[in-house]
């Protein structure tokens, strides 16, 4: 019951900012489904993102909220910042902070290369969490002026306190549909 109430509250919290979002992303892989909202500041130099991911195989979730500084250098576009996460892994749970970068290199008006890496050491992980790592590498195809399809490889790992090895929340190919406003 606690999990259902938390999911309901998270869904309400996530859907409220949709009116303020610059983009909404739906991410899918073999065993994970995710939803995220991204909002840029009026000058475009900062952004906020909130999201939730659900692993169907293990029936567990990871929620996140991030704050970023956006920028460009030549054709390279990106953002650097901090992502707060909360992992609810069925019996073990806890929050943490991960620091990292999102990069995008447009090769044409239609095609871009994308990469991302976030790392949360044990010193920024609390309760049952002992670390976090989230990376992806892929390509983005602009479908229309207001939508994009991204695909590639990604990995989300959580280190759990007093447990050997990492919990692979998501590992492998993914597809992400972005709706741009």
């Amino acid at each position: 019951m606690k999990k259902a109430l938390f999911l309901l509250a998270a869904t309400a919290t996530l859907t409220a900012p949709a009116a303020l979002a610059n983009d909404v992303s739906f991410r899918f892989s073999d065993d994970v489904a995710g939803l995220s909202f991204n909002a840029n500041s009026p000058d475009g130099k900062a952004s906020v993102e909130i999201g939730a991911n659900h692993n169907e195989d293990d029936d567990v979730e990871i929620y996140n909220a991030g704050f970023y500084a956006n920028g460009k250098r030549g054709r390279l576009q990106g953002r650097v910042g901090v992502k707060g996460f909360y992992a609810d892994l069925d019996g073990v749970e806890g929050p943490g902070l991960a620091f990292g970068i999102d990069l995008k290199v447009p090769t044409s008006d239609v095609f871009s290369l994308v990469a991302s890496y976030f790392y949360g050491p044990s010193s920024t992980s609390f309760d049952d969490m002992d670390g976090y790592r989230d990376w992806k590498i892929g390509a983005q195809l602009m479908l229309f002026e207001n939508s994009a399809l991204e695909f590639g490889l990604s990995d989300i790992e959580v280190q759990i306190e007093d447990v050997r090895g990492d919990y692979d929340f998501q590992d492998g190919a993914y597809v992400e549909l972005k709706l741009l406003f």
Side-chain angles (χ1 to χ4, degrees):
M1 181 66 164
K2 177 184 166 188
K3 193 177 218 179
L5 289 174
F6 190 73
L7 284 173
L8 181 61
T11 303
T13 303
L14 289 173
T15 54
L20 304 173
N22 293 89
D23 67 71
V24 177
S25 297
F26 303 92
R27 187 173 180 172
F28 303 96
S29 69
D30 191 35
D31 52 357
V32 175
L35 172 68
S36 66
F37 297 93
N38 184 68
N40 292 329
S41 64
D43 63 2
K45 293 183 179 182
S47 61
V48 176
E49 182 178 53
I50 58 174
N53 293 293
H54 174 74
N55 182 307
E56 179 64 28
D57 287 349
D58 296 334
D59 196 26
V60 294
E61 291 79 32
I62 294 181
Y63 306 95
N64 59 61
F67 302 96
Y68 308 97
N70 303 339
K72 291 182 179 183
R73 182 159 311 269
R75 289 183 14 201
L76 178 67
Q77 303 170 15
R79 63 186 189 173
V80 63
V82 62
K83 179 191 294 191
F85 70 91
Y86 183 83
D88 183 356
L89 306 176
D90 195 32
V92 292
E93 56 188 63
L97 295 174
F99 306 90
I101 190 166
D102 283 321
L103 298 173
K104 179 178 175 181
V105 180
T107 60
S108 70
D109 291 348
V110 177
F111 188 79
S112 299
L113 300 174
V114 295
S116 171
Y117 184 81
F118 284 87
Y119 173 70
S122 61
S123 60
T124 63
S125 301
F126 308 99
D127 293 341
D128 296 329
M129 300 301 109
D130 202 28
Y132 177 89
R133 185 175 37 227
D134 178 353
W135 63 265
K136 72 176 180 178
I137 187 164
Q140 187 178 83
L141 180 66
M142 292 299 296
L143 300 172
F144 300 103
E145 66 275 357
N146 60 352
S147 58
L149 186 64
E150 186 176 302
F151 50 91
L153 298 174
S154 119
D155 186 49
I156 301 172
E157 291 180 355
V158 180
Q159 289 86 33
I160 301 170
E161 193 171 86
D162 299 327
V163 175
R164 289 186 174 262
D166 300 331
Y167 174 77
D168 274 329
F169 184 82
Q170 198 270 319
D171 186 15
Y174 74 95
V175 175
E176 186 171 333
L177 176 64
K178 289 186 180 223
L179 306 177
L180 311 168
F181 306 111

